[in-house]
Amino acid sequence: QVHLVESGGGVVQPGRSLTLSCEVSGFASSSYGMHWVRQGPGKGLEWVAVIWSDGSKTYYADSVRGRFLISRDTSRNTLYLQMNRVRAEDTAVYYCARDRSDGNYGGDYWGQGTLVTVSS
Amino acid sequence: DIQMTQSPSSLSASVGDRVTITCRASQTINHYVNWYQQRPGKAPTLLIYAASSLHTGVPSRFSASGYGTDFTLTISSLQPEDFATYYCQQTYSIPPVTFGGGTKVEIK
């Protein structure tokens, strides 16, 4: 049974850093690409980043490129999102999602989300 | 970036109604479209992938079609648990992956 659990959310001050984790189970994490998607309060879904199944490629939304870093530790079955220099507009529920394949096909299973609030 | 335009942004319908949601891409995306359902306070769940393929465990009242730039999601007979927000997504040209703005299906 595919399962994804995000953690690491909370309140963070503007300009500071925060790292989100997504622990996966029920599948071989090295065989699938992984995405981060966020949803601001009362807003729609916004794609944030993807890492390819073999880790060879990472892509970012323009709004986070240069500030956020997606990575994975397959030995720990864990995906990460390092968020640096956070801004008020980064406030959102952050979801991790497994890609249907290597990273190019969108998420088929999603975690329950973790809330990040950027506030002083 | 490829823009995904969903319509309508909201609709009211009754249990048993047939509901159709459309999504238009700003350029051709072949069949690289997914459809998601999001119930209030919950994570999105995949309904349809590759424009018309039903994801595992999704009821057969959900169907979808389209190719190129125009796509539709249809619920043949709306059930109480189907009241939710629906999103289309393109993965033809990444980055970025892009979503439509969502369609909220409410009870009439």
Side-chain angles (χ1 to χ4, degrees), chain B residues 9-33:
Chain B
S9 57
S10 65
L11 63 89
S12 295
S14 302
V15 172
D17 284 354
R18 181 181 183 89
V19 169
T20 298
I21 298 168
T22 65
C23 191
R24 174 165 287 177
S26 59
Q27 63 189 75
T28 185
I29 57 172
N30 292 353
H31 65 283
Y32 286 82
V33 167

PDB file of all heavy atoms in Angstrom, chain B residues 9-33:
ATOM      1  N   SER B   9     -15.655  27.775 -13.325  1.00  0.00           N
ATOM      2  CA  SER B   9     -14.892  27.817 -12.077  1.00  0.00           C
ATOM      3  C   SER B   9     -15.709  27.215 -10.932  1.00  0.00           C
ATOM      4  O   SER B   9     -15.137  26.755  -9.946  1.00  0.00           O
ATOM      5  CB  SER B   9     -14.492  29.249 -11.740  1.00  0.00           C
ATOM      6  OG  SER B   9     -15.638  30.066 -11.663  1.00  0.00           O
ATOM      7  N   SER B  10     -17.021  27.230 -11.073  1.00  0.00           N
ATOM      8  CA  SER B  10     -17.884  26.567 -10.105  1.00  0.00           C
ATOM      9  C   SER B  10     -19.188  26.202 -10.771  1.00  0.00           C
ATOM     10  O   SER B  10     -19.560  26.788 -11.799  1.00  0.00           O
ATOM     11  CB  SER B  10     -18.138  27.461  -8.888  1.00  0.00           C
ATOM     12  OG  SER B  10     -18.866  28.605  -9.263  1.00  0.00           O
ATOM     13  N   LEU B  11     -19.865  25.230 -10.182  1.00  0.00           N
ATOM     14  CA  LEU B  11     -21.174  24.842 -10.697  1.00  0.00           C
ATOM     15  C   LEU B  11     -21.985  24.241  -9.561  1.00  0.00           C
ATOM     16  O   LEU B  11     -21.434  23.705  -8.596  1.00  0.00           O
ATOM     17  CB  LEU B  11     -21.039  23.862 -11.862  1.00  0.00           C
ATOM     18  CG  LEU B  11     -20.406  22.505 -11.606  1.00  0.00           C
ATOM     19  CD1 LEU B  11     -21.463  21.490 -11.184  1.00  0.00           C
ATOM     20  CD2 LEU B  11     -19.671  21.998 -12.840  1.00  0.00           C
ATOM     21  N   SER B  12     -23.295  24.350  -9.695  1.00  0.00           N
ATOM     22  CA  SER B  12     -24.213  23.729  -8.741  1.00  0.00           C
ATOM     23  C   SER B  12     -24.962  22.617  -9.457  1.00  0.00           C
ATOM     24  O   SER B  12     -25.445  22.818 -10.566  1.00  0.00           O
ATOM     25  CB  SER B  12     -25.207  24.758  -8.197  1.00  0.00           C
ATOM     26  OG  SER B  12     -24.549  25.736  -7.452  1.00  0.00           O
ATOM     27  N   ALA B  13     -25.042  21.483  -8.814  1.00  0.00           N
ATOM     28  CA  ALA B  13     -25.704  20.342  -9.428  1.00  0.00           C
ATOM     29  C   ALA B  13     -26.361  19.484  -8.358  1.00  0.00           C
ATOM     30  O   ALA B  13     -26.041  19.599  -7.165  1.00  0.00           O
ATOM     31  CB  ALA B  13     -24.711  19.513 -10.236  1.00  0.00           C
ATOM     32  N   SER B  14     -27.255  18.632  -8.790  1.00  0.00           N
ATOM     33  CA  SER B  14     -27.975  17.745  -7.876  1.00  0.00           C
ATOM     34  C   SER B  14     -27.452  16.325  -7.986  1.00  0.00           C
ATOM     35  O   SER B  14     -26.863  15.938  -9.011  1.00  0.00           O
ATOM     36  CB  SER B  14     -29.470  17.771  -8.202  1.00  0.00           C
ATOM     37  OG  SER B  14     -29.995  19.073  -8.104  1.00  0.00           O
ATOM     38  N   VAL B  15     -27.683  15.558  -6.948  1.00  0.00           N
ATOM     39  CA  VAL B  15     -27.324  14.137  -6.987  1.00  0.00           C
ATOM     40  C   VAL B  15     -28.040  13.486  -8.174  1.00  0.00           C
ATOM     41  O   VAL B  15     -29.228  13.721  -8.404  1.00  0.00           O
ATOM     42  CB  VAL B  15     -27.715  13.449  -5.666  1.00  0.00           C
ATOM     43  CG1 VAL B  15     -27.531  11.935  -5.775  1.00  0.00           C
ATOM     44  CG2 VAL B  15     -26.882  13.993  -4.508  1.00  0.00           C
ATOM     45  N   GLY B  16     -27.274  12.733  -8.945  1.00  0.00           N
ATOM     46  CA  GLY B  16     -27.806  12.072 -10.129  1.00  0.00           C
ATOM     47  C   GLY B  16     -27.578  12.834 -11.418  1.00  0.00           C
ATOM     48  O   GLY B  16     -27.747  12.275 -12.507  1.00  0.00           O
ATOM     49  N   ASP B  17     -27.186  14.099 -11.339  1.00  0.00           N
ATOM     50  CA  ASP B  17     -26.933  14.895 -12.538  1.00  0.00           C
ATOM     51  C   ASP B  17     -25.681  14.425 -13.263  1.00  0.00           C
ATOM     52  O   ASP B  17     -24.768  13.867 -12.665  1.00  0.00           O
ATOM     53  CB  ASP B  17     -26.760  16.379 -12.182  1.00  0.00           C
ATOM     54  CG  ASP B  17     -28.071  17.078 -11.872  1.00  0.00           C
ATOM     55  OD1 ASP B  17     -29.141  16.453 -12.040  1.00  0.00           O
ATOM     56  OD2 ASP B  17     -28.016  18.256 -11.464  1.00  0.00           O
ATOM     57  N   ARG B  18     -25.648  14.705 -14.548  1.00  0.00           N
ATOM     58  CA  ARG B  18     -24.439  14.516 -15.349  1.00  0.00           C
ATOM     59  C   ARG B  18     -23.694  15.848 -15.355  1.00  0.00           C
ATOM     60  O   ARG B  18     -24.295  16.904 -15.605  1.00  0.00           O
ATOM     61  CB  ARG B  18     -24.811  14.111 -16.770  1.00  0.00           C
ATOM     62  CG  ARG B  18     -23.641  13.850 -17.702  1.00  0.00           C
ATOM     63  CD  ARG B  18     -24.155  13.481 -19.093  1.00  0.00           C
ATOM     64  NE  ARG B  18     -23.093  13.157 -20.025  1.00  0.00           N
ATOM     65  CZ  ARG B  18     -22.590  11.948 -20.182  1.00  0.00           C
ATOM     66  NH1 ARG B  18     -23.062  10.933 -19.459  1.00  0.00           N
ATOM     67  NH2 ARG B  18     -21.631  11.737 -21.063  1.00  0.00           N
ATOM     68  N   VAL B  19     -22.414  15.791 -15.060  1.00  0.00           N
ATOM     69  CA  VAL B  19     -21.606  16.999 -14.934  1.00  0.00           C
ATOM     70  C   VAL B  19     -20.402  16.908 -15.870  1.00  0.00           C
ATOM     71  O   VAL B  19     -19.747  15.859 -15.954  1.00  0.00           O
ATOM     72  CB  VAL B  19     -21.125  17.172 -13.470  1.00  0.00           C
ATOM     73  CG1 VAL B  19     -20.075  18.264 -13.368  1.00  0.00           C
ATOM     74  CG2 VAL B  19     -22.309  17.482 -12.554  1.00  0.00           C
ATOM     75  N   THR B  20     -20.135  18.001 -16.555  1.00  0.00           N
ATOM     76  CA  THR B  20     -18.978  18.049 -17.450  1.00  0.00           C
ATOM     77  C   THR B  20     -18.142  19.272 -17.127  1.00  0.00           C
ATOM     78  O   THR B  20     -18.663  20.388 -16.995  1.00  0.00           O
ATOM     79  CB  THR B  20     -19.411  18.094 -18.925  1.00  0.00           C
ATOM     80  OG1 THR B  20     -20.136  16.899 -19.240  1.00  0.00           O
ATOM     81  CG2 THR B  20     -18.195  18.183 -19.842  1.00  0.00           C
ATOM     82  N   ILE B  21     -16.844  19.063 -17.008  1.00  0.00           N
ATOM     83  CA  ILE B  21     -15.873  20.125 -16.743  1.00  0.00           C
ATOM     84  C   ILE B  21     -14.892  20.131 -17.904  1.00  0.00           C
ATOM     85  O   ILE B  21     -14.472  19.071 -18.376  1.00  0.00           O
ATOM     86  CB  ILE B  21     -15.135  19.858 -15.418  1.00  0.00           C
ATOM     87  CG1 ILE B  21     -16.136  19.858 -14.256  1.00  0.00           C
ATOM     88  CG2 ILE B  21     -14.034  20.881 -15.186  1.00  0.00           C
ATOM     89  CD1 ILE B  21     -15.555  19.317 -12.957  1.00  0.00           C
ATOM     90  N   THR B  22     -14.529  21.316 -18.359  1.00  0.00           N
ATOM     91  CA  THR B  22     -13.605  21.393 -19.485  1.00  0.00           C
ATOM     92  C   THR B  22     -12.297  22.066 -19.081  1.00  0.00           C
ATOM     93  O   THR B  22     -12.245  22.858 -18.126  1.00  0.00           O
ATOM     94  CB  THR B  22     -14.222  22.148 -20.661  1.00  0.00           C
ATOM     95  OG1 THR B  22     -14.442  23.513 -20.279  1.00  0.00           O
ATOM     96  CG2 THR B  22     -15.545  21.532 -21.075  1.00  0.00           C
ATOM     97  N   CYS B  23     -11.269  21.743 -19.822  1.00  0.00           N
ATOM     98  CA  CYS B  23      -9.946  22.298 -19.605  1.00  0.00           C
ATOM     99  C   CYS B  23      -9.321  22.540 -20.975  1.00  0.00           C
ATOM    100  O   CYS B  23      -9.318  21.633 -21.821  1.00  0.00           O
ATOM    101  CB  CYS B  23      -9.108  21.321 -18.781  1.00  0.00           C
ATOM    102  SG  CYS B  23      -7.554  21.979 -18.171  1.00  0.00           S
ATOM    103  N   ARG B  24      -8.819  23.735 -21.166  1.00  0.00           N
ATOM    104  CA  ARG B  24      -8.181  24.073 -22.447  1.00  0.00           C
ATOM    105  C   ARG B  24      -6.739  24.469 -22.208  1.00  0.00           C
ATOM    106  O   ARG B  24      -6.448  25.322 -21.350  1.00  0.00           O
ATOM    107  CB  ARG B  24      -8.942  25.200 -23.141  1.00  0.00           C
ATOM    108  CG  ARG B  24      -8.270  25.707 -24.414  1.00  0.00           C
ATOM    109  CD  ARG B  24      -9.214  26.541 -25.240  1.00  0.00           C
ATOM    110  NE  ARG B  24     -10.227  25.704 -25.880  1.00  0.00           N
ATOM    111  CZ  ARG B  24     -11.223  26.192 -26.628  1.00  0.00           C
ATOM    112  NH1 ARG B  24     -11.351  27.495 -26.801  1.00  0.00           N
ATOM    113  NH2 ARG B  24     -12.105  25.379 -27.179  1.00  0.00           N
ATOM    114  N   ALA B  25      -5.855  23.879 -22.964  1.00  0.00           N
ATOM    115  CA  ALA B  25      -4.428  24.202 -22.868  1.00  0.00           C
ATOM    116  C   ALA B  25      -4.070  25.315 -23.840  1.00  0.00           C
ATOM    117  O   ALA B  25      -4.657  25.409 -24.924  1.00  0.00           O
ATOM    118  CB  ALA B  25      -3.592  22.963 -23.158  1.00  0.00           C
ATOM    119  N   SER B  26      -3.093  26.127 -23.481  1.00  0.00           N
ATOM    120  CA  SER B  26      -2.696  27.260 -24.321  1.00  0.00           C
ATOM    121  C   SER B  26      -1.905  26.834 -25.554  1.00  0.00           C
ATOM    122  O   SER B  26      -1.713  27.637 -26.472  1.00  0.00           O
ATOM    123  CB  SER B  26      -1.882  28.265 -23.497  1.00  0.00           C
ATOM    124  OG  SER B  26      -0.733  27.650 -22.959  1.00  0.00           O
ATOM    125  N   GLN B  27      -1.450  25.588 -25.564  1.00  0.00           N
ATOM    126  CA  GLN B  27      -0.823  25.009 -26.752  1.00  0.00           C
ATOM    127  C   GLN B  27      -1.022  23.505 -26.685  1.00  0.00           C
ATOM    128  O   GLN B  27      -1.419  22.972 -25.645  1.00  0.00           O
ATOM    129  CB  GLN B  27       0.660  25.359 -26.834  1.00  0.00           C
ATOM    130  CG  GLN B  27       1.498  24.829 -25.697  1.00  0.00           C
ATOM    131  CD  GLN B  27       2.911  25.391 -25.724  1.00  0.00           C
ATOM    132  OE1 GLN B  27       3.137  26.548 -25.372  1.00  0.00           O
ATOM    133  NE2 GLN B  27       3.859  24.574 -26.148  1.00  0.00           N
ATOM    134  N   THR B  28      -0.741  22.833 -27.781  1.00  0.00           N
ATOM    135  CA  THR B  28      -1.023  21.406 -27.814  1.00  0.00           C
ATOM    136  C   THR B  28      -0.183  20.648 -26.783  1.00  0.00           C
ATOM    137  O   THR B  28       1.010  20.924 -26.600  1.00  0.00           O
ATOM    138  CB  THR B  28      -0.789  20.828 -29.220  1.00  0.00           C
ATOM    139  OG1 THR B  28      -1.192  19.444 -29.233  1.00  0.00           O
ATOM    140  CG2 THR B  28       0.669  20.940 -29.627  1.00  0.00           C
ATOM    141  N   ILE B  29      -0.821  19.715 -26.114  1.00  0.00           N
ATOM    142  CA  ILE B  29      -0.138  18.926 -25.078  1.00  0.00           C
ATOM    143  C   ILE B  29      -0.394  17.427 -25.267  1.00  0.00           C
ATOM    144  O   ILE B  29      -0.264  16.642 -24.333  1.00  0.00           O
ATOM    145  CB  ILE B  29      -0.549  19.373 -23.659  1.00  0.00           C
ATOM    146  CG1 ILE B  29      -2.070  19.289 -23.464  1.00  0.00           C
ATOM    147  CG2 ILE B  29      -0.041  20.781 -23.370  1.00  0.00           C
ATOM    148  CD1 ILE B  29      -2.507  19.547 -22.018  1.00  0.00           C
ATOM    149  N   ASN B  30      -0.784  17.051 -26.485  1.00  0.00           N
ATOM    150  CA  ASN B  30      -1.081  15.642 -26.780  1.00  0.00           C
ATOM    151  C   ASN B  30      -2.078  15.101 -25.753  1.00  0.00           C
ATOM    152  O   ASN B  30      -3.156  15.643 -25.591  1.00  0.00           O
ATOM    153  CB  ASN B  30       0.204  14.827 -26.843  1.00  0.00           C
ATOM    154  CG  ASN B  30       1.042  15.227 -28.047  1.00  0.00           C
ATOM    155  OD1 ASN B  30       0.608  16.013 -28.889  1.00  0.00           O
ATOM    156  ND2 ASN B  30       2.248  14.708 -28.126  1.00  0.00           N
ATOM    157  N   HIS B  31      -1.684  14.043 -25.028  1.00  0.00           N
ATOM    158  CA  HIS B  31      -2.596  13.452 -24.050  1.00  0.00           C
ATOM    159  C   HIS B  31      -2.066  13.605 -22.630  1.00  0.00           C
ATOM    160  O   HIS B  31      -2.493  12.894 -21.713  1.00  0.00           O
ATOM    161  CB  HIS B  31      -2.802  11.968 -24.345  1.00  0.00           C
ATOM    162  CG  HIS B  31      -1.551  11.155 -24.182  1.00  0.00           C
ATOM    163  ND1 HIS B  31      -0.554  11.161 -25.130  1.00  0.00           N
ATOM    164  CD2 HIS B  31      -1.132  10.338 -23.188  1.00  0.00           C
ATOM    165  CE1 HIS B  31       0.436  10.372 -24.711  1.00  0.00           C
ATOM    166  NE2 HIS B  31       0.106   9.863 -23.547  1.00  0.00           N
ATOM    167  N   TYR B  32      -1.121  14.543 -22.408  1.00  0.00           N
ATOM    168  CA  TYR B  32      -0.459  14.664 -21.121  1.00  0.00           C
ATOM    169  C   TYR B  32      -1.296  15.484 -20.125  1.00  0.00           C
ATOM    170  O   TYR B  32      -0.876  16.546 -19.641  1.00  0.00           O
ATOM    171  CB  TYR B  32       0.927  15.276 -21.301  1.00  0.00           C
ATOM    172  CG  TYR B  32       1.922  14.315 -21.891  1.00  0.00           C
ATOM    173  CD1 TYR B  32       1.971  14.098 -23.269  1.00  0.00           C
ATOM    174  CD2 TYR B  32       2.805  13.615 -21.079  1.00  0.00           C
ATOM    175  CE1 TYR B  32       2.874  13.207 -23.815  1.00  0.00           C
ATOM    176  CE2 TYR B  32       3.713  12.724 -21.621  1.00  0.00           C
ATOM    177  CZ  TYR B  32       3.747  12.524 -22.990  1.00  0.00           C
ATOM    178  OH  TYR B  32       4.631  11.636 -23.529  1.00  0.00           O
ATOM    179  N   VAL B  33      -2.470  14.966 -19.829  1.00  0.00           N
ATOM    180  CA  VAL B  33      -3.376  15.623 -18.893  1.00  0.00           C
ATOM    181  C   VAL B  33      -3.817  14.643 -17.810  1.00  0.00           C
ATOM    182  O   VAL B  33      -4.155  13.496 -18.108  1.00  0.00           O
ATOM    183  CB  VAL B  33      -4.623  16.170 -19.614  1.00  0.00           C
ATOM    184  CG1 VAL B  33      -5.708  16.558 -18.609  1.00  0.00           C
ATOM    185  CG2 VAL B  33      -4.251  17.392 -20.429  1.00  0.00           C
TER     186      VAL B  33
END
